[in-house]
Structures are given as structure tokens and as C-alpha cells.
Amino acid sequence: MQYDLVFEGGGAKGAVFVGALQELERRGHTPGRLLGTSAGAIMATFVAAGFSSEEMLVALKEKDENGVPAFEKFLGRPRPFTKEEVAHSITKEALERINLRYVPDFIEDQVDRFILNLMLQDELVYVFSFIERGGWYSADAFLDWARRKLDQMTPDGHPRDLSRQTFAQFFETTGKELSLVAADTTDQRLLVLNHHTAPDLPVVWGMRMSMSLPLLWEEVVWRSEWGRYIGRAMGGHRIVDGGLLSNFPMELFISTDPYVISMMGPKTGSNILGLLIDEQLPVPGVTPSDAPIPPSGSLVDLPPVERIVRLVDTATQAHDKLVIEAFEQFVCRLPAKSYKTMEFDMTDERREHLVAGGQMALDRYFRTQETQGMKGPDIHEMDRAIKRANRIAAGILR
């Protein structure tokens, strides 16, 4: 059976999807259209690229020569700032606007230069990046990793060579309808990135946009060479994680609204399955006391970073709860209690429990359907779901 798959965002917790995909493969089901936000966008892209759950499991275990998990490097130190960036920085402009009485201008200039130089040193560069680039961390390591994976050989030795492909090229190569959700903070609107809406955008940059948790990773500035979005010029627009507006956009697969279909492409008749990361569901074999204690000096668990993550999570909950309640029959809840969004240094043991929990959750979902004889909602229930989907989709897209 074929399923259109929706992957929710969830940072490091997205490892639970691999277990769900293992169960999907075990039952002989195949993916149809693919839709994802943030970590879900990464997973959706790799499924569209033909990665098996076993290949993804190997990727989750990847470490460098020093034993550091590849994912931990996604929280990268900001790239060095050029002299031009510093000269035209918001910080410099703010310092110049401060006029201290009775202090000669030449001394103020020296103090300004001292402060700017100080903010480019050691850990203060993260604060400078936060102010100037809209994010605490660089995601260059993620881009490098994603490109390597998209060019990785298939198990039977065929090259993928997908890292430089645009959405249009990717669709032509794979035949898969892939849609990634991002948020345009310049126009304050949701973006659904695919070969219908942004054909000239490189897929790897679509992934980068969708995973850019606001205020944590640097914003992505849309380049003119990436073309237009639904005919609109986008050069210079600032793009962040789609979860800011919709972390679980299942309604886009259900809606029959002509505008939505123009963005998503024609319906395929496949079943719909939403994979939701549920932080209230315990992972079998894991207790809250098993949660790791962050190392001393870890930036990830500083109060400002934790507040940002909580703020973004809170901002997305209202919309996501509306979607989940409206389409509960299509949703499989995957356990992730005591796991953190930014837990990229997850131990092998915790990751194995999380993956196994995802597999068990989807197995239970399918068994429940089989026991209840649920082939899907009846025609009246589906009609109500479509009407709700049209209303919800209109609310976030227009």
C-alpha cells in the first residue's frame, strides 16, 4: 500500500522517524508524496532520494575520527565576519548612536572599536551572530553533511548525485513529489517549497531553510539565482524554520482547495499518514531520569537558548493541535518523552531506544487499524475532514 507521508519537525527527536520507516518497510508499504517541516523536511528529502531505513540508521550513527556524532557539529561556530560585515553591522550602528556626554568623540570611537573587537572573540561571537545574522549557530556543517548524503552511492553502487539539483531537477530524477515547509519572515508568510512553487531553488537549501530554528541557526537569505516563488521575486527575503507557522501541515495533503492543489500538485489517491512526535509519550525502556545532564559550559542548555526553543514550540502548538484534532485518524504518535530538540549529542543507547520506540508505535497504529477494520474514514467523515483542511490551509497560506 502507498502512503503520502507527513513528517513533523522536532530537531534531534526526528531520529524516531527511522523506526517508523523500518516498520513501514517491514509491512511492504511504500511512500507516495512527501511533506516535512524542519527535521521532518530532512527525513522527507532522504526518503524521496530513495534512502532505505537502514541507510538512515547508519547516518544516525555517523561519527568523526574523534568519536563526535556528526549531528553535534550542526551547532557550528559562526563563520568569521568580514571587515565589510562588521563595518556595516547593526551593532556598530547602535554603538555610534550612543553619545556619551563629556566624553570626546575620539575616545568614544576607540571604545566602540574595542567593544566590536571583543564581540568577535571567544564565545561572544555567538551573540554577535545572533544580532547580525539572526541566529546563534552556523549550519554550514549541516549543509556539508546533507550534500554528502545526497551524493552517496545507493546500496547497489549507483550514484545519486542529487546535492546540486533544484527542486525541478530532483523531481525529474526521482519522480517523487517532495514538499518542504519554511517561513518567510520578510513577507510574514508560509512557504511550501517544491517543484511547483520554487523550481529553481536547490533542494539542499530548501532543507536548510526548513530546519533553521528561528534565532538559533542563522537565517537563510534567498539568493536571486534561486529564482522565484510562485512567480514572486524573493531575492533578499529572510527564511527560517517552517515550524514557526506550521510544524505539522497535514492539511496540505487533504485540502481540495484549488490554490492548495496548485502548490501541492494533483492528488494521487494514496492513503495519508502523519508521523507526529509526541513528547508526552514515554519511550519504552527510557525513564525521565535517563535524560543526559549537559556538560558544563554547554551553549545548548544556556537559559537564552532554552527560552528560544520553548518560545518556538509554544508558537506552533496552537495550529498543530488544531490539525491533530481535525485529522486524528491519519496520525501516528511517535514517543519522545525526555528527549530534547537540541540533543544532537544523543548517546547510542538513547538513540536505539528512540528508534525502537518509533517502530513499535507504527506497528501498534497499523494493528489497531486492522483490529478495528479501519480501511479509512467513511465518506461523510472524509467530507468533513476535507472541509476542515480547506479552512486550515486557507488560514496559513493566504
Side-chain angles (χ1 to χ4, degrees):
M1 190 175 293
Q2 188 174 75
Y3 283 90
D4 288 344
L5 300 177
V6 184
F7 297 90
E8 189 196 21
K13 294 172 292 188
V16 74
F17 293 137
V18 175
L21 290 171
Q22 287 176 331
E23 181 60 22
L24 203 71
E25 290 175 3
R26 188 183 74 81
R27 289 174 172 267
H29 301 316
T30 57
R33 295 183 297 172
L34 297 148
L35 172 63
T37 302
S38 195
I42 299 169
M43 190 61 60
T45 302
F46 287 142
V47 173
F51 279 76
S52 66
S53 61
E54 181 59 33
E55 288 180 280
M56 293 183 195
L57 191 60
V58 171
L60 289 180
K61 298 177 181 178
E62 187 177 317
K63 297 180 181 180
D64 67 12
E65 61 277 5
N66 298 315
V68 178
F71 291 177
E72 190 173 345
K73 294 182 178 180
F74 292 177
L75 304 173
R77 185 178 179 84
R79 299 183 310 280
F81 286 82
T82 66
K83 289 183 179 180
E84 184 178 2
E85 284 182 292
V86 175
H88 295 89
S89 66
I90 299 170
T91 306
K92 184 174 184 293
E93 182 181 346
L95 290 171
E96 289 174 346
R97 290 183 180 181
I98 299 174
N99 187 19
L100 301 175
R101 290 185 178 183
Y102 313 119
V103 177
D105 289 344
F106 78 93
I107 293 180
E108 278 200 57
D109 290 342
Q110 290 179 354
V111 172
D112 290 351
R113 285 195 295 272
F114 173 77
I115 293 173
L116 279 172
N117 184 63
L118 187 65
M119 292 192 71
L120 296 172
Q121 306 300 315
D122 301 321
E123 304 309 308
L124 285 177
V125 73
Y126 290 94
V127 179
F128 194 73
S129 177
F130 179 87
I131 296 170
E132 302 300 330
R133 294 174 177 167
W136 202 265
Y137 300 105
S138 163
D140 291 350
F142 165 77
L143 281 171
D144 292 340
W145 176 84
R147 289 185 178 116
R148 288 199 308 273
K149 292 301 169 190
L150 289 175
D151 285 340
Q152 182 176 297
M153 290 280 191
T154 63
D156 56 5
H158 290 89
R160 283 193 171 96
D161 293 334
L162 298 171
S163 70
R164 299 184 183 279
Q165 292 197 352
T166 64
F167 275 96
Q169 294 166 336
F170 189 92
F171 174 70
E172 184 177 353
T173 300
T174 65
K176 285 294 184 182
E177 293 268 2
L178 170 68
S179 297
L180 310 181
V181 178
D184 179 355
T185 60
T186 302
D187 264 358
Q188 299 180 334
R189 65 189 307 158
L190 189 80
L191 302 180
V192 181
L193 307 171
N194 57 37
H195 70 283
H196 301 289
T197 62
D200 298 323
L201 175 67
V203 170
V204 74
W205 277 104
M207 296 167 69
R208 169 67 180 87
M209 291 174 181
S210 188
M211 61 80 70
S212 188
L213 198 64
L215 307 179
L216 282 182
W217 277 291
E218 298 168 0
E219 299 168 330
V220 178
V221 180
W222 192 293
R223 302 174 188 172
S224 297
E225 61 264 31
W226 293 343
R228 294 171 172 263
Y229 175 79
I230 317 183
R232 295 198 305 269
M234 294 288 290
H237 283 220
R238 295 182 176 274
I239 316 298
V240 299
D241 188 337
L244 184 65
L245 296 175
S246 180
N247 210 31
F248 194 55
M250 177 176 283
E251 67 276 9
L252 298 180
F253 275 163
I254 300 173
S255 174
T256 58
D257 183 274
Y259 180 66
V260 176
I261 290 177
S262 73
M263 298 176 69
M264 301 299 297
K267 293 185 175 298
T268 61
S270 299
N271 295 279
I272 296 171
L273 175 60
L275 298 174
L276 176 76
I277 299 173
D278 192 332
E279 295 181 342
Q280 303 306 312
L281 282 181
V283 176
V286 177
T287 63
S289 61
D290 295 328
I293 299 174
S296 176
S298 171
L299 287 172
V300 175
D301 288 275
L302 285 175
V305 177
E306 288 190 331
R307 289 191 192 109
I308 291 168
V309 174
R310 288 200 302 269
L311 179 65
V312 174
D313 286 345
T314 301
T316 64
Q317 280 180 3
H319 172 267
D320 289 343
K321 284 181 178 178
L322 180 64
V323 171
I324 294 161
E325 290 171 0
F327 313 121
E328 186 70 41
Q329 68 268 34
F330 303 119
V331 176
C332 174
R333 296 173 178 269
L334 306 177
K337 188 173 184 177
S338 85
Y339 285 76
K340 295 187 177 182
T341 300
M342 306 294 285
E343 196 179 329
F344 292 111
D345 58 349
M346 194 180 301
T347 65
D348 292 345
E349 183 180 8
R350 278 176 64 78
R351 183 185 61 249
E352 289 167 5
H353 281 301
L354 186 59
V355 171
Q359 186 273 326
M360 287 186 279
L362 191 56
D363 174 59
R364 184 166 53 250
Y365 174 85
F366 283 130
R367 283 192 287 107
T368 298
Q369 285 195 324
E370 292 163 0
T371 300
Q372 297 177 355
M374 290 174 60
K375 302 298 183 183
D378 63 35
I379 188 169
H380 299 294
E381 187 178 353
M382 193 63 207
D383 183 58
R384 288 193 295 271
I386 289 171
K387 289 179 180 178
R388 288 195 296 266
N390 289 342
R391 289 195 299 271
I392 296 170
I396 64 169
L397 289 177
R398 296 183 187 272

